[in-house]
Amino acid sequence: MTLPVTVTFMLADWIIKGIADGTLERVGGVIREVGSKHIVTWLREQGSPTGNQLGEIGRSMLLTQGILQVTSAVSILNLGVSVIGFAVIAQRLKELEQRLQQAQKLLNHINRKIDLSFYANFRAAIELATNAFTMTKPENRRSSALQAINRFLEAEHIYTEFADIEIEQKSQIADEYLLTLSLAYLAEAHCYLELEEHDTALRRFQEGSIVIRSRIQKYVKLLLTSNPAVYLQPQFRGQIDLRRLTRIYQWLDPTLNENAVFDMQRMNLFMLAKDPNKWVESIPAAIWDSKVDWVGKVIWDDPKPQIYARLPKTLEVMESMIETNRRFESYQTEVQAISQLEISFHDWLKLTPSTEVKPEGAKLMYIIPSKPLELQPSM
């Protein structure tokens, strides 16, 4: 069977040119036409990067032998649904649990406890799903997979509630629960894909996108603070520029450009210079919590230097959450393509260049349809 896609380790010159001149864009794990939103390429990492490997790919995505790079924030999700199986999900979950355990040490100062017991249930569900798809009898595979799906559904409800509570409290751990929620939806959809239930997997991705995006939007707006012009202070020259801040706003509202964002900040810059203490008084706990972050400090110390020092990292958190959301939403295009191209999920997983030798150091593989695919936009 001749597949209607080309799989290669080298990105075509016309795609490189399109990204350079702005007619093509990378959104999550896909490259698409800016105007029509038609998909021209899927990106797939080679192997299953974890930990520092994932961060390296996230920070500087090499599209073609150093000719063109597209930088992106580190994301907890891989570029494609095909390379984030249950083992990778389990690793990500472990990382999030460890981050919450570290946060617990700080929250002990205000006698606040984090309930980590549900992570054990989530891990058990992943193990159940992993075992299900090693079974040889189809009826046993399906039965065990459906049991795992029920547990993932439970995790989705739990972590949606946790995320809502933490966002409402403007806390420093809201992002951990949002990321855990993303993994729960991904694990459930992956079960359906393994069962070749593409339509159900797509529906769950679409439903999950609505739930996750709405909450990440609230979280990003929270981190922008009451005066987003604070991110444009002179001390951040060389670290944060108007372009980075604009990209945050464009995710919230694609109609905005740099001029519009600057106009939004004109009065904010004036107000910040006039009375910086007013902004400090309104700072959300997600950035700086006096009950947690001021332990051991004398009461007359000025907290502004410590708060300002956190802002570049806070902007990275926003970029990371947006990148994670875009990757999650781009998974829908993979599922749509599998159905439209009439390829099974397991055959999609096996796609690899048939004759091309993998260049040394190549971290990405490109799946290029014979013609741009018109898929239902989700991003």
Side-chain angles (χ1 to χ4, degrees):
M1 173 183 174
T2 302
L3 295 176
V5 295
T6 299
V7 186
T8 177
F9 293 115
M10 301 296 294
L11 198 57
D13 290 341
W14 64 271
I15 296 179
I16 298 171
K17 180 179 181 298
I19 294 177
D21 64 24
T23 57
L24 298 177
E25 62 181 350
R26 183 192 67 83
V27 182
V30 302
I31 296 175
R32 68 183 186 185
E33 296 173 349
V34 171
S36 67
K37 309 304 181 188
H38 293 177
I39 307 299
V40 300
T41 307
W42 280 270
L43 308 174
R44 181 184 293 181
E45 293 109 330
Q46 288 301 285
S48 299
T50 58
N52 292 333
Q53 287 178 290
L54 182 69
E56 183 181 350
I57 291 173
R59 291 184 190 279
S60 184
M61 192 180 307
L62 190 63
L63 291 181
T64 176
Q65 294 187 336
I67 298 173
L68 180 67
Q69 288 186 336
V70 176
T71 57
S72 66
V74 175
S75 168
I76 198 168
L77 301 185
N78 290 49
L79 288 168
V81 70
S82 48
V83 286
I84 188 162
F86 296 120
V88 178
I89 294 173
Q91 176 62 29
R92 302 291 182 270
L93 193 64
K94 180 180 178 182
E95 293 167 6
L96 288 172
E97 189 174 7
Q98 289 173 342
R99 281 155 58 171
L100 282 172
Q101 288 171 344
Q102 290 298 316
Q104 179 67 78
K105 295 178 181 178
L106 293 174
L107 293 175
N108 284 338
H109 293 299
I110 55 174
N111 295 320
R112 184 169 175 217
K113 301 296 183 183
I114 301 175
D115 190 346
L116 296 172
S117 62
F118 293 104
Y119 278 86
N121 295 336
F122 196 168
R123 287 198 306 271
I126 294 172
E127 292 174 5
L128 179 60
T130 301
N131 292 335
F133 296 111
T134 61
M135 296 178 178
T136 55
K137 293 183 178 180
E139 61 273 19
N140 292 342
R141 285 165 57 92
R142 187 171 187 84
S143 175
S144 292
L146 292 176
Q147 290 180 46
I149 286 170
N150 285 335
R151 293 198 182 189
F152 293 139
L153 286 167
E154 181 183 10
E156 289 161 18
H157 290 295
I158 289 169
Y159 289 108
T160 297
E161 181 180 356
F162 281 2
D164 286 343
I165 291 171
E166 298 304 326
I167 292 172
E168 181 65 27
Q169 295 183 355
K170 303 180 181 181
S171 87
Q172 295 181 1
I173 59 173
D175 56 336
E176 316 295 1
Y177 287 132
L178 286 169
L179 294 172
T180 305
L181 178 60
S182 300
L183 292 178
Y185 272 105
L186 177 57
E188 182 205 352
H190 201 88
C191 281
Y192 286 119
L193 289 172
E194 288 283 356
L195 295 171
E196 299 292 356
E197 298 284 355
H198 301 166
D199 290 344
T200 304
L202 177 59
R203 176 173 58 80
R204 294 304 292 153
F205 271 130
Q206 291 170 335
E207 292 169 353
S209 292
I210 295 171
V211 172
I212 294 166
R213 185 183 180 94
S214 64
R215 286 156 177 83
I216 291 181
Q217 284 177 332
K218 289 181 181 178
Y219 188 63
V220 167
K221 290 177 181 178
L222 178 69
L223 295 183
L224 283 171
T225 78
S226 62
N227 192 335
V230 71
Y231 290 99
L232 298 176
Q233 292 183 98
Q235 70 191 77
F236 300 133
R237 184 185 300 274
Q239 288 181 279
I240 303 173
D241 57 22
L242 181 59
R243 183 175 301 177
R244 282 183 70 185
L245 187 61
T246 297
R247 283 196 289 261
I248 301 290
Y249 273 99
Q250 285 176 330
W251 180 75
L252 295 168
D253 182 355
T255 66
L256 297 176
N257 57 26
E258 286 188 26
N259 284 336
V261 172
F262 180 72
D263 279 341
M264 293 166 64
Q265 304 309 322
R266 284 182 189 271
M267 185 55 68
N268 283 339
L269 286 165
F270 174 76
M271 296 303 295
L272 186 66
K274 181 180 179 182
D275 187 1
N277 289 323
K278 185 175 181 180
W279 173 80
V280 170
E281 291 168 1
S282 68
I283 192 79
I287 297 177
W288 188 80
D289 186 342
S290 60
K291 300 185 191 71
V292 175
D293 301 311
W294 209 237
V295 175
K297 306 294 190 303
V298 292
I299 194 169
W300 53 81
D301 280 353
D302 183 0
K304 288 196 291 298
Q306 289 198 30
I307 295 172
Y308 291 155
R310 293 187 179 188
L311 293 180
K313 180 63 177 178
T314 302
L315 190 73
E316 288 182 8
V317 171
M318 285 189 272
E319 291 171 331
S320 177
M321 295 301 295
I322 290 171
E323 177 68 15
T324 292
N325 180 251
R326 283 177 167 156
R327 293 186 184 193
F328 184 90
E329 292 183 345
S330 74
Y331 292 167
Q332 298 174 46
T333 70
E334 276 195 79
V335 181
Q336 288 175 298
I338 289 168
S339 296
Q340 189 166 319
L341 298 173
E342 298 182 343
I343 303 174
S344 74
F345 178 63
H346 293 93
D347 285 340
W348 180 263
L349 293 179
K350 296 174 186 175
L351 288 178
T352 188
S354 56
T355 58
E356 190 178 337
V357 177
K358 179 181 176 181
E360 184 178 353
K363 296 174 182 175
L364 295 175
M365 187 176 76
Y366 310 96
I367 303 172
I368 306 172
S370 55
K371 62 179 181 179
L373 286 185
E374 181 179 358
L375 302 173
Q376 179 181 345
S378 59
M379 301 167 281

